[in-house]
């Protein structure tokens, strides 16, 4: 039986790749996000803000509370799911009923765009339990902010209700709703979207790519016209994962020789026509967001069960490099990988942290390093040449992504999961979403 496929979202300011208010700031699933506890009072003009690219320290004493829907944390306060994209000083948050934009330095909501329809998974971002599924953060460009959620389309006369993937697009700055597209993903009127992943994988001037994935049941990818939201093509049994120019690569569940296998299949961005097939005879695959120069695949071999990290040529699917892991299970059996949006891909496999050149797959460095008496930190984010995380003792730290050397070790202030030149976002010790302004 196939396991749940969850593609790691690519966070930060790049796209490879919503709100709810009860008046208390945490929000609910019924409307726009309300006032946020700890937020700075709104002002008529944006306050002056310190910036750094990349930041090496954050002001822990000036944290700004964000909507509860921005992320999910476990009982230890560690972030396990993120629903916010940070672009400059604006956080774009997706909820079951709306997409919202918040100024993370003041906590002030900039705009809210409602999603028409009955939420297919209304409680995904609330309650005491951590759910690894749900909507992925919005994809944001200079022009558009686009997000996807499941909705239930009600019965109409003798036509039964059904589940749909709802994709909503808005002007990224003004919040003016551009369009909403509702695509049927299940004919089962009693289908449950509680274990679904919805994601806008990429936004370009040619197409918007979105996907719906629900365990062993449905896997649907759709390409939409960015101006109108009209469907360009749709493919079942396929999860889009990464974009490489006009080539889209994803996990293909429709393998003729064995229905239990998966493979990497490349499609034309605008046409949906198949270009090549690679990473054959896999039991599970996840496309890792990385530099467009390479397709990076987190793969489990069907025969041996061993996990691998593959680097493929996006034009042909030919294997450029391969790294075998020690063990693991699930859709990311090899481990978690972080792309710094510039030149470095860092992967954590069984406690071993390894950095690769994102364009060539050349190995750059590895931690731990016993000879130098250095251990591997717990990585939380990578951005513009910096690697963010925590030491084994729980202290925030910043490494140089290209060299692996310590870059900032004192008064770092926070270990963010999302970063821009204005702020870093993570959860406080109580699991509450906070934005920490840049200090250095």
């Amino acid at each position: 039986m196939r396991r749940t496929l969850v593609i790691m979202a690519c966070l930060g300011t790049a796209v490879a790749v919503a709100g709810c208010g009860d008046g208390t700031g945490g929000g609910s699933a019924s409307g726009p996000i309300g006032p946020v506890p700890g937020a700075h009072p709104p002002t008529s003009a944006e306050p002056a803000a310190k910036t750094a690219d990349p930041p090496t320290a954050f002001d822990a004493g000036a944290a700004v509370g964000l909507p509860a829907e921005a992320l999910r944390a476990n009982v230890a306060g560690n972030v396990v799911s993120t629903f916010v994209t940070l672009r400059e000083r604006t956080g774009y948050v997706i909820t079951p009923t709306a997409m919202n934009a918040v100024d993370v330095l003041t906590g002030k909501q900039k705009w809210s765009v409602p999603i028409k329809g009955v939420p297919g998974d209304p409680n995904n971002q609330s309650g005491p339990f951590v759910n690894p599924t749900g909507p992925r953060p919005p994809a944001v460009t200079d022009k558009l902010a686009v997000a996807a959620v499941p909705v239930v389309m009600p019965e109409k006369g003798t036509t039964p209700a059904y589940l749909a993937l709802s994709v909503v697009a808005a002007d990224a700055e003004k919040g003016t709703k551009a369009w909403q597209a509702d695509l049927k993903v299940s004919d089962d009127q009693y289908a449950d979207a509680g274990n679904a992943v919805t994601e806008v994988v990429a936004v370009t001037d040619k197409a918007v790519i979105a996907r719906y994935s629900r365990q062993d049941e449905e896997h649907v990818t759709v390409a939409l016209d960015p101006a109108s939201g009209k469907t360009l093509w749709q493919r079942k049994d396929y999860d889009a994962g990464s974009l490489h120019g006009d080539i889209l690569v994803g996990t293909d569940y429709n393998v003729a020789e064995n229905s239990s296998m998966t493979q990497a299949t490349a499609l034309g961005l605008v046409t949906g026509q198949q270009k090549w097939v690679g990473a054959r005879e896999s039991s599970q695959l996840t496309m890792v967001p990385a530099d467009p120069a390479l397709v990076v695949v987190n793969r489990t071999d069907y025969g041996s069960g061993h996990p691998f990290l593959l680097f493929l040529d996006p034009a042909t699917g030919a294997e450029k490099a391969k790294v075998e892991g020690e063990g693991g299970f699930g859709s990311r059996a090899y481990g978690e990988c972080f792309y710094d949006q510039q030149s470095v891909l860092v992967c954590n496999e069984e406690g071993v942290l390894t950095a690769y050149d994102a364009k060539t797959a050349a190995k750059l460095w590895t931690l731990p390093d016993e000879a130098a008496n250095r251990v591997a930190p717990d990585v939380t984010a990578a951005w513009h040449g910096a690697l963010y995380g925590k030491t084994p003792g729980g202290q925030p730290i910043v490494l140089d992504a290209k060299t692996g050397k310590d870059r900032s070790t004192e008064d770092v202030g926070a270990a963010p999961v999302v970063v821009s030149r204005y702020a870093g976002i993570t959860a406080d010790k109580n699991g509450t979403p906070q934005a920490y302004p840049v200090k250095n």
Side-chain angles (χ1 to χ4, degrees), residues 25-26 36-37 64-70 84 102-105 107 425-426 432-435:
V36 179
V64 177
L66 297 179
E69 294 92 346
V84 58
V102 179
D103 185 327
V104 300
L105 297 187
I425 295 176
T426 189
T432 303
Q434 301 281 340

Side-chain angles (χ1 to χ4, degrees), residues 34-93:
V36 179
H40 298 169
T43 60
S44 57
E46 290 185 345
K50 182 174 289 189
T51 62
D53 189 359
T56 56
F58 303 90
D59 192 345
V64 177
L66 297 179
E69 294 92 346
L71 54 82
R72 297 287 300 273
N74 58 23
V75 292
N78 297 319
V79 176
V80 294
S81 297
T82 306
F83 307 105
V84 58
T85 295
L86 181 59
R87 188 173 174 88
E88 298 290 4
R89 59 183 291 167
T90 301
Y92 298 84
V93 183

Side-chain angles (χ1 to χ4, degrees), residues 363-409:
K363 182 178 175 180
L364 300 177
W365 54 265
T366 299
L367 286 176
D369 183 345
E370 294 184 4
N373 191 30
R374 299 185 66 215
V375 297
D378 179 16
V379 178
T380 57
W383 194 69
H384 288 199
L387 195 64
Y388 303 88
K390 293 181 180 180
T391 65
Q395 297 302 309
I397 190 172
V398 183
L399 304 184
D400 186 291
K402 289 186 178 180
T403 66
K405 295 180 178 180
D406 293 356
R407 188 165 180 171
S408 182
T409 60

Side-chain angles (χ1 to χ4, degrees), residues 263-336:
Q263 61 191 19
T265 297
L267 308 177
L269 173 65
V270 177
T271 64
Q273 294 181 346
Q274 186 166 307
K275 301 296 183 179
W276 53 258
V277 172
R280 295 177 182 270
E281 298 185 0
S282 302
S283 60
Q284 294 196 60
L285 287 177
T286 301
M287 304 300 133
V288 177
D291 192 279
L294 290 172
V295 177
V296 184
V297 182
N298 197 331
R299 171 184 181 264
T300 302
D301 183 77
Y302 184 83
S304 67
H306 291 177
F308 292 88
L309 190 68
L310 301 183
F311 297 87
L312 308 179
D313 184 334
T316 64
E319 188 176 294
K320 293 284 193 177
K322 178 170 68 174
V323 183
E324 184 173 3
E326 294 292 331
F329 60 92
S331 60
R332 292 188 295 272
Y334 180 83
E336 296 286 347

Side-chain angles (χ1 to χ4, degrees), residues 324-377:
E324 184 173 3
E326 294 292 331
F329 60 92
S331 60
R332 292 188 295 272
Y334 180 83
E336 296 286 347
C337 295
F338 301 83
Y339 175 47
D340 77 341
Q341 312 298 324
Q342 282 190 340
S343 62
V344 181
L345 180 70
V346 180
C347 296
N348 189 346
E349 195 275 325
E350 294 288 300
V352 177
L353 198 62
T354 306
Y356 303 92
D357 184 297
K359 289 182 170 60
T360 67
K363 182 178 175 180
L364 300 177
W365 54 265
T366 299
L367 286 176
D369 183 345
E370 294 184 4
N373 191 30
R374 299 185 66 215
V375 297

Side-chain angles (χ1 to χ4, degrees), residues 123-137:
N123 301 313
N124 183 275
Q125 291 159 257
S126 61
F129 303 107
V130 171
N131 188 344
T133 60
R136 294 300 181 251

